[in-house]
Amino acid sequence: MTGKRYGMSIDIDRCTGCGACMVACAVENNVPPAPEGATDRKGITWMRVFPVDNGRDGPDRKSVFVPMLCQQCGQDAPCVSVCPQQAVQVDPATGIVGQMPERCLGCRYCMAACPYHARYFNWWDPAWPAGMEKTLNPNVAPRMRGVVEKCNFCHGRWHAAKERAVGRGAREIDPADYVPACVEACPTAAIRFGDLNDPRSPVAQAAQQSGSFRLLEKLGTEPKIYYHSAREWVREIGRAPAGKEQVHG
Amino acid sequence: MFPWNYGFHWSTGNVLFLGAFYTVLVVVATTVASAILRARRAVAAQQTDAIRWRSDFHDLPPRDRVCRHVLTGEFQVRECPNAFDCRQCETHARLVALHPPEAPPESGEELLGMSFPLDRFYHRGHTWARLGPDGAVTIGLDELGRRVLGVPDAVDLPAPGTRLRVNGPAWHIHKRNRDVRVLSPADGEVVEATGGIGGDGYLRVKPVGRGFDFRNLLAPCEVKPWLLREVERLQGALSAEGVPTLADGGVLLPDLSTAYPQADWDAACDAMFLQA
Amino acid sequence: MDRQLIARGVRRCSTPQFLLWILPWAALFAFGLYCAGLCLVKGLNQTNMDNRFAFGLWIFVDLTIIALGAGAFFTGFLLYILKLKDLDAVINSAVVIGFVCYSGAVAALLVDVGQPLRAWFTFWYPNVHSMLTEVTFCITCYLAVLLIEYLPIVLRNRKLREVPGFLVFEFELHKLIYVLAGVGTFLSFFHQGSLGGLFGVLRGHPFAFREGLAVWPSTFFLFILSAAAVGPSFILFTTWLISKLSGKRLVRPQVLQLLGRISGLLLGVYVLAKTVDTLIWINRTSPGAGFPAQEYFAWQPFGTWILFAEIVVFGLAPALILLTPRLRLRTNWLVSAAVLACLGVALNRFVMTLQTLALPTLSFDRYLSYWPSWQETGTFLAVVAFGVLVYSFSFRYLLLFPQEREFRQEPAAQVSETAVMDPVGRS
């Protein structure tokens, strides 16, 4: 039995930038609300929707929303080999790049290594407003301060689906049982999820579709998140950045 | 780290990496452990004094470590490799065989206004050893040493029966808050500590084992060149801080310890008693 | 009152004067400890690092001071393995500087990681493919080696060596010091290299990524070379600085010139290698990853000037000065070149760490800036103050420059080369 290779396809043309995926992700994965003093660069957003425009002004200006998450690199993921203590590992059964916060030292080398900036550090102790801790997802362990975390395709849901399959006596999980929260939450069905090794899965088909692209393909990291847009300029965002004079960060 | 740890594989990378790590650990640990073991052995074998002298000698400025054959002009430059113990020096043996020590060029005992009787052998740390008719050796401080120290505040003499070793500490003199250790010119066992008061020697020493061996001491013909150099060194030590007048009319002051500030006098003691 | 502790034959300032010097540094150290404490107790939210700028001032400082501390291993290597006896004059100082640099770097790293109590995980579950694993192992081992090398210097203190056990142990350990020098060289070789590899392997950042030999990117070798090149320069500079601050002659000028020559030679080789590496990177490595190299320098303020400064101003220029015998003889030139070389390695480490992180990798990403918070700066200052304190105490109570004693008895004009002859050579 060959392992699965879970991947995602995101149709940028359908994304409205509503942010439902971000909320669903945070709720599903017990990401605590950002404390006072957190900036957008210090917050934890496994899924984050970036507004991107074509850089023109006036009527020529066009913009889209790009949901960004861990790209689940399929080939020598940059974050895996750099971790000094094997806290980042690829599950051969699913192809998911997993982060083990309980073994993480918090050196953040993986964050420096990730070209997609899809890794997040717990700068604060996780804290929920009184009463809100009752809404925590019991299937996902909250992470402590000082460790790194990132999208793992809702690994808690994978475990739940696995249990259900075992309950049914099946060897394989039912694809309908395992859908990450962002996929579920997207009102325009812009995000689809499935096994890239299964040619019948919508994701595998979307990956082959024309207009499909991945971010920074030339790095050779073989991301398993496929974006799609019918527009040429949108597909350009998968390429390396072009320098600009003095952009304030 | 260990084969039973999570994530360990017998892969080439792991074996090479951890192999190198453990090798380093073993080498470092062995080095420290063997230093400790050797140190314990040396302490048990009572080599502490010998090691202290070796260590002191190593710390002396190079110009204080010159071979005695430089003093007599046989070498232009040469540093003593044996910490002033010529008994084991092949070069010394060869040179002595080549030019047997001549009789003292002059029988006069006055050198630079100081009394240096030639009936005895001098040590480069300003002690002397004189063989008595009874086979025992008297050990004392030479006049230059006496003038540097002046009248001691206190003297720490070894108890009779103490074993002395060449270049080991023979006795200690306290002066001006300073503890000067005086190097022993000879091997032997202390018979009597006379303390230099009244008599001319500090200790009387009887031979141990094969008897006395004075090859490490300066022969009478070497005393004059040595002394000239010693006065030069003394002057160097004292004049560093701008007090150039060493002597009164070319003669050494009778008591340097009261004539110079502490730092200068300290430096003079270091230079004369070979203390690093 | 502490005169009994000061080495014979050297002069040190009075105790009150020493305390006056120590006091501000101690205050700075205390403030830095408070800052580090804040970071440890309240968490790294006290810093201005963030998810994008995951590394900041501390990593830059670690890389820089470890490069500067390379003088310890390299001087030890030259003295004990290659038998360059002249370097005996600075080896003690080099060991103290190395110890200060490495212990400071390790301390800063422990504040830098999110879960310092898990530091042992790296040893327990090492991922041998990670450059950081190599760095952690080697730096820890080398710090232990430095500590063992520092020990004899401490035990030679005038009062301590009166204890027979200390004296004999120091004597025996010193006989084996070449083993430690060898181990230190081996470890330094690998961790200086893997510190370079740290960024050279980042495939996700074509600005830093370099091709190389086997598992090591070219930065691995460049870091070794540059560290070995500036190590002696830093020793040269610190020796000169301490000589100025204390108003004492510490070593013969020939020793500094020798350090300068060694530094210049290696720096020259480094500049050459760095130039070749840069050309390969611009023309092959970076475009191959889809990143045209000229784009990096379009993000101001880091234009091509930074490349020019790194290679020419802080690389080629000091190398040429140090390799010119006439200029080497002039202290001003010698020291300036050494400082330039040290600044050059700092700039290189800055480029590799901070510029790498500042540059965007995604087209819709921004060029980011970062400025350390006062807590971060305070922690960094604690490392500096710690270094100054350890060095000041060492300089006062231990004999760091053996030649210093000779100058006391030797008027300046008479200083001459001491020739040591082969014992039996001319007999």
Side-chain angles (χ1 to χ4, degrees):
Chain A
M1 185 193 96
T2 54
K4 295 199 183 303
R5 206 160 63 87
Y6 285 114
M8 204 174 254
S9 74
I10 298 175
D11 192 337
I12 294 177
D13 294 348
R14 299 175 80 153
C15 177
T16 61
C18 70
C21 52
M22 294 168 65
V23 176
C25 172
V27 170
E28 168 70 21
N29 292 297
N30 291 340
V31 173
E36 218 174 307
T39 63
D40 70 327
R41 281 161 64 175
K42 270 190 176 168
I44 297 175
T45 48
W46 292 12
M47 165 64 93
R48 181 166 176 189
V49 179
F50 281 86
V52 178
D53 61 61
N54 61 356
R56 305 226 180 114
D57 289 322
D60 291 340
R61 186 184 177 89
K62 295 196 170 66
S63 59
V64 289
F65 295 99
V66 181
M68 274 297 292
L69 68 165
C70 170
Q71 302 287 304
Q72 301 289 349
C73 301
Q75 176 78 42
D76 302 332
C79 55
V80 174
S81 60
V82 297
C83 178
Q85 39 206 3
Q86 312 193 44
V88 191
Q89 283 184 331
V90 181
D91 182 354
T94 59
I96 296 174
V97 180
Q99 173 79 21
M100 278 162 273
E102 53 279 11
R103 197 183 292 149
C104 175
L105 168 68
C107 69
R108 303 187 299 286
Y109 188 22
C110 56
M111 299 173 66
C114 178
Y116 305 106
H117 314 308
R119 304 185 135 266
Y120 301 89
F121 184 72
N122 283 272
W123 302 96
W124 283 270
D125 278 306
W128 283 266
M132 202 175 149
E133 70 275 356
K134 294 199 181 75
T135 66
L136 286 178
N137 179 354
N139 291 329
V140 177
R143 280 74 51 191
M144 68 199 299
R145 186 183 87 194
V147 299
V148 174
E149 59 184 66
K150 69 169 194 73
C151 164
N152 51 23
F153 279 164
C154 290
H155 209 247
R157 292 190 172 205
W158 181 81
H159 276 293
K162 194 84 187 161
E163 267 171 37
R164 248 169 279 157
V166 170
R168 278 198 311 269
R171 293 181 70 88
E172 300 276 329
I173 59 176
D174 181 350
D177 273 350
Y178 176 33
V179 179
C182 54
V183 179
E184 209 172 62
C186 182
T188 60
I191 314 178
R192 280 173 295 178
F193 179 79
D195 179 11
L196 288 165
N197 278 349
D198 176 4
R200 289 160 307 163
S201 77
V203 175
Q205 286 165 4
Q208 301 301 324
Q209 205 185 345
S210 80
S212 162
F213 67 98
R214 290 179 292 176
L215 298 179
L216 303 175
E217 267 180 279
K218 274 196 151 181
L219 290 182
T221 54
E222 300 293 334
K224 294 199 287 281
I225 310 291
Y226 287 82
Y227 290 87
H228 173 269
S229 175
R231 288 167 285 177
E232 173 68 27
W233 77 265
V234 177
R235 291 199 295 272
E236 292 281 302
I237 63 175
R239 310 246 304 252
K244 290 167 204 154
E245 296 295 316
Q246 192 62 51
V247 177
H248 293 284
Chain B
M1 188 141 160
F2 301 110
W4 53 86
N5 280 2
Y6 176 86
F8 182 92
H9 312 283
W10 285 103
S11 61
T12 324
N14 250 318
V15 171
L16 279 181
F17 183 92
L18 292 174
F21 171 62
Y22 287 122
T23 311
V24 165
L25 278 194
V26 167
V27 169
V28 172
T30 314
T31 309
V32 175
S34 69
I36 291 174
L37 276 180
R38 283 158 157 227
R40 287 183 62 145
R41 224 177 296 147
V43 171
Q46 298 187 323
Q47 289 171 343
T48 313
D49 287 335
I51 287 176
R52 189 178 297 277
W53 165 245
R54 286 246 161 214
S55 165
D56 271 354
F57 184 78
H58 174 268
D59 281 355
L60 289 176
R63 114 196 90 75
D64 288 2
R65 289 184 301 209
V66 290
C67 171
R68 59 200 273 189
H69 296 285
V70 173
L71 306 178
T72 50
E74 285 154 290
F75 279 120
Q76 282 292 316
V77 270
R78 183 166 188 264
E79 203 171 290
C80 174
N82 298 314
F84 288 166
D85 190 351
C86 316
R87 295 173 302 175
Q88 35 179 306
C89 181
E90 287 172 24
T91 311
H92 174 67
R94 202 159 39 204
L95 284 169
V96 169
L98 231 59
H99 324 277
E102 313 152 17
E106 51 194 287
S107 53
E109 301 185 347
E110 285 279 309
L111 281 169
L112 304 165
M114 287 178 287
S115 147
F116 272 81
L118 296 178
D119 59 346
R120 55 196 76 176
F121 295 103
Y122 290 88
H123 182 265
R124 294 186 64 177
H126 293 281
T127 48
W128 49 256
R130 186 184 61 212
L131 193 60
D134 56 349
V137 154
T138 308
I139 293 177
L141 207 57
D142 71 16
E143 176 148 7
L144 182 55
R146 284 206 298 274
R147 289 197 182 192
V148 168
L149 288 175
V151 180
D153 293 342
V155 179
D156 257 354
L157 293 167
T162 310
R163 181 85 163 78
L164 292 188
R165 284 188 174 79
V166 165
N167 296 335
W171 69 91
H172 289 258
I173 292 176
H174 299 273
K175 178 82 183 182
R176 273 183 103 176
N177 298 325
R178 179 169 176 158
D179 172 9
V180 176
R181 61 108 187 80
V182 179
L183 295 176
S184 169
D187 276 340
E189 194 182 304
V190 177
V191 186
E192 190 191 357
T194 52
I197 299 147
D200 61 348
Y202 270 80
L203 299 173
R204 273 169 51 74
V205 172
K206 70 172 186 194
V208 175
R210 280 170 298 163
F212 290 112
D213 180 349
F214 290 143
R215 276 179 299 164
N216 62 311
L217 299 178
L218 298 170
C221 64
E222 289 171 289
V223 171
K224 192 176 177 188
W226 166 63
L227 204 60
L228 286 171
R229 191 180 171 103
E230 287 300 286
V231 170
E232 199 180 293
R233 279 179 54 219
L234 180 62
Q235 204 146 15
L238 288 172
S239 65
E241 298 298 316
V243 190
T245 46
L246 160 75
D248 179 14
V251 178
L252 205 60
L253 299 170
D255 183 355
L256 295 178
S257 69
T258 52
Y260 286 90
Q262 174 93 38
D264 281 344
W265 178 75
D266 264 343
C269 282
D270 290 345
M272 292 299 103
F273 296 100
L274 304 174
Q275 211 154 6
Chain C
M1 79 184 89
D2 54 355
R3 196 139 296 281
Q4 289 300 309
L5 291 168
I6 295 172
R8 284 186 207 288
V10 301
R11 289 189 171 220
R12 291 292 176 262
C13 61
S14 67
T15 312
Q17 212 179 340
F18 181 65
L19 289 178
L20 212 62
W21 160 258
I22 287 300
L23 205 66
W25 294 105
L28 189 63
F29 185 56
F31 168 71
L33 281 188
Y34 169 70
C35 292
L38 277 183
C39 294
L40 287 173
V41 174
K42 291 193 171 178
L44 292 175
N45 53 61
Q46 302 290 307
T47 70
N48 275 351
M49 289 186 281
D50 53 51
N51 294 321
R52 259 304 303 281
F53 246 108
F55 291 160
L57 173 71
W58 293 336
I59 292 287
F60 160 62
V61 167
D62 283 345
L63 261 69
T64 306
I65 63 177
I66 284 183
L68 297 179
F73 100 82
F74 199 60
T75 314
F77 171 72
L78 292 171
L79 173 64
Y80 296 119
I81 314 275
L82 296 188
K83 309 279 180 208
L84 274 179
K85 286 274 179 254
D86 282 352
L87 295 180
D88 211 13
V90 289
I91 183 70
N92 288 357
S93 172
V95 166
V96 178
I97 285 175
F99 174 71
V100 158
C101 288
Y102 277 81
S103 49
V106 169
L109 271 176
L110 281 178
V111 183
D112 201 349
V113 297
Q115 290 289 339
L117 293 179
R118 291 182 179 178
W120 61 278
F121 281 21
T122 306
F123 295 92
W124 210 245
Y125 311 111
N127 169 17
V128 298
H129 304 291
S130 169
M131 284 292 162
L132 196 55
T133 310
E134 212 171 297
V135 170
T136 312
F137 272 71
C138 289
I139 289 194
T140 318
C141 291
Y142 187 51
L143 186 58
V145 169
L146 276 172
L147 202 62
I148 299 170
E149 286 184 330
Y150 186 36
L151 200 60
I153 302 175
V154 175
L155 294 182
R156 276 190 98 83
N157 169 275
R158 186 166 152 190
K159 265 274 170 279
L160 290 179
R161 72 195 283 283
E162 282 174 13
V163 180
F166 287 168
L167 174 91
V168 176
F169 176 64
E170 186 275 326
F171 184 78
E172 295 295 343
L173 190 57
H174 195 81
K175 280 199 220 160
L176 297 172
I177 206 84
Y178 64 91
V179 178
L180 295 174
V183 172
T185 306
F186 172 80
L187 290 172
S188 296
F189 189 82
F190 277 98
H191 72 242
Q192 295 287 357
S194 26
L195 280 173
L198 218 53
F199 287 84
V201 296
L202 296 186
R203 293 195 308 133
H205 287 274
F207 178 73
F209 181 72
R210 298 289 191 282
E211 296 159 271
L213 264 181
V215 296
W216 296 297
S218 66
T219 48
F220 182 92
F221 306 99
L222 288 175
F223 266 50
I224 297 174
L225 207 49
S226 55
V230 298
S233 266
F234 192 59
I235 305 286
L236 193 167
F237 168 66
T238 46
T239 306
W240 173 83
L241 184 70
I242 293 151
S243 179
K244 282 276 163 237
L245 286 177
S246 63
K248 302 202 169 52
R249 302 183 56 218
L250 301 175
V251 296
R252 289 171 210 288
Q254 292 91 326
V255 176
L256 293 190
Q257 285 154 21
L258 176 66
L259 285 170
R261 205 172 78 205
I262 295 166
S263 204
L265 211 62
L266 285 162
L267 202 58
V269 178
Y270 167 69
V271 168
L272 195 70
K274 172 82 186 165
T275 310
V276 172
D277 175 67
T278 306
L279 289 175
I280 294 177
W281 167 69
I282 288 178
N283 294 306
R284 199 177 73 188
T285 319
S286 190
F291 283 68
Q294 69 272 12
E295 298 291 345
Y296 302 127
F297 301 105
W299 301 94
Q300 296 304 328
F302 297 134
T304 36
W305 64 265
I306 204 162
L307 202 60
F308 177 78
E310 198 191 324
I311 296 179
V312 180
V313 181
F314 295 110
L316 191 62
L320 289 179
I321 296 173
L322 291 174
L323 286 175
T324 311
R326 219 153 25 90
L327 295 179
R328 223 167 36 221
L329 286 176
R330 299 172 49 185
T331 312
N332 289 347
W333 283 89
L334 187 69
V335 174
S336 310
V339 171
L340 278 182
C342 293
L343 289 177
V345 88
L347 180 63
N348 173 257
R349 295 338 184 221
F350 175 85
V351 167
M352 290 306 281
T353 54
L354 296 184
Q355 196 183 350
T356 299
L357 291 176
L359 292 173
T361 47
L362 292 166
S363 64
F364 49 90
D365 204 0
R366 289 169 306 168
Y367 172 87
L368 291 185
S369 56
Y370 149 89
W371 194 253
S373 70
W374 63 266
Q375 294 94 327
E376 268 176 286
T377 317
T379 308
F380 155 66
L381 291 176
V383 171
V384 176
F386 163 79
V388 173
L389 288 175
V390 171
Y391 197 92
S392 298
F393 278 100
S394 299
F395 181 68
R396 185 171 176 82
Y397 297 119
L398 313 173
L399 191 67
L400 297 190
F401 299 97
Q403 289 182 354
E404 187 186 353
R405 286 199 295 214
E406 297 166 34
F407 295 132
R408 208 193 104 71
Q409 299 172 21
E410 226 172 286
Q414 288 175 16
V415 178
S416 60
E417 193 94 29
T418 30
V420 180
M421 244 189 56
D422 176 13
V424 276
R426 250 189 250 177
S427 54

